[in-house]
Amino acid sequence: MPITSHTELYNPILLAVHLTVRILNNLKCTVIMARITQPITNTEAKQAKPRDKIYTLFDGGGLVLRVNPSGSKKWILNYTQPFTKKRTSISFGTYPYVTIAEARALREKTKALLEKNIDPKSHRDELDQQSQTAKKHTLKSVACDWLPVKKTKVSSDHADKLFRSLEIHIFAKLGSIPISEIKAPLVIQTLKPLAAKGNLQTVSRVCQRINEVMFYAVNTGIIDNNPLAQIREAFEVAKKKHMPTIKPEQLPHLLRSVAQASIKRTTRCLIEWQLHTMTRPSEAAGARWDELDLEKKLWIIPAERMKKGKEHSIPLTPQAIALLEVMRPISSHREYIFPSDRNSKSHTNPSTANVALKRMGFGGQLVAHGMRSIASTTLNEQGFDPDVIESALAHVDKNEVRRAYNRAEYLMRRKEMMAWWSEYIEKSSIGCLSISTLN
């Protein structure tokens, strides 16, 4: 607004208006000048030559290309930290490895973080830490950490068996992948060949076991969620198969076959020991001399060797003790009652009895674990208390409330029942010489 007369020069109001307009015009020019900062062109970036001192090319929005005396050119974004309000900067890498377009995209992402009051440097450090953690925590390494925890809940042998199945079916292909990158399609694709062979029971078990590892990872803060929770739904449901076994009336035939078979004395004793004690194959094969209390006539299996992780006491009948006397000259100087042929410091393989039964012609009809079913069926038919039978088999009541209130081991009643069972086996072996009757 120009001053048009001498009188106006001395008019305070008009003078104030005039000065205000000039100030506003100057501010407007300053804003316009700030807005017309020319972005860096690719030619400018390429042709920027090093000088004696560091200098910068401005691209706008705080983004600059810093040219060093060495000739290197680094992208820098200057910004104000959200909470401290201090001026700082963050590097986006060097030109031309990081292009102008990529640097500008990083600038916009960084500004988006600042709008949310997130410091981009702290954010990047956190992502780097997560990446390092992911590389460290592979599926197999997490499973190795899970294994000792699992061994506190089941027997050590059983836990090792679970881990071995994961090694065979999962770790061979996926073990080295960070657990954070393990997704359902990847695991499903890995298990499809196994399912195609009809091994649906194995697929189901492997799905359950890998889920245990994944949930362990969630609970320990390694990953946020378990993407494998429903992978069993991707496969057909396996028809439940009971362990092959024979009827109680076929027991004499079994004992005759064991007596006549061309098998080692240790193997024969192992089969009869498992039959008399009603134990699982791994429990029987791993029996140690120091687990026996012959004064009390008890075999006390420690919790770490039991499937359910609970100590189990078994009354020893005269027939069971007779089997120990057969084994005494063979292994009493060793740790295990039924030693391995290949390694005297270890026990026989839990599958030894299975292999022997198969050679005797019981393949598909009876497995070593099925001998527990013979005992259970016989004792139930004879009217023994089902709770006492279940206790002898070391089964855990599925009813949590009932299990909490029913902790009795029925040891005295089990002694009577086990004595009856051993006598039943002995009577069934008449004419075929059970090894427990030879002493």
Side-chain angles (χ1 to χ4, degrees), residues 38 45 62 88 118 157 169-170 176 198 229 243 249 274 309 323 330 340 346 375 386 390 404 416 437:
Q38 293 295 322
T88 186
I118 299 173
D157 286 346
H169 302 297
I170 295 293
S176 60
M243 292 286 185
E249 53 265 30
Q274 188 179 335
L323 290 169
I330 299 172
S340 167
S346 182
E390 292 299 291
E416 297 175 8
T437 65

Side-chain angles (χ1 to χ4, degrees), residues 46-59:
K46 281 183 179 179
Q47 293 180 353
K49 304 298 182 183
R51 301 175 186 172
D52 292 339
K53 294 182 179 180
I54 294 173
Y55 70 95
T56 56
L57 301 177
F58 293 88
D59 191 66

Side-chain angles (χ1 to χ4, degrees), residues 95-110:
Y95 176 87
Y97 303 107
V98 177
T99 66
I100 294 176
E102 289 171 339
R104 288 170 181 163
L106 289 170
R107 175 185 63 194
E108 297 311 309
K109 288 182 179 179
T110 302

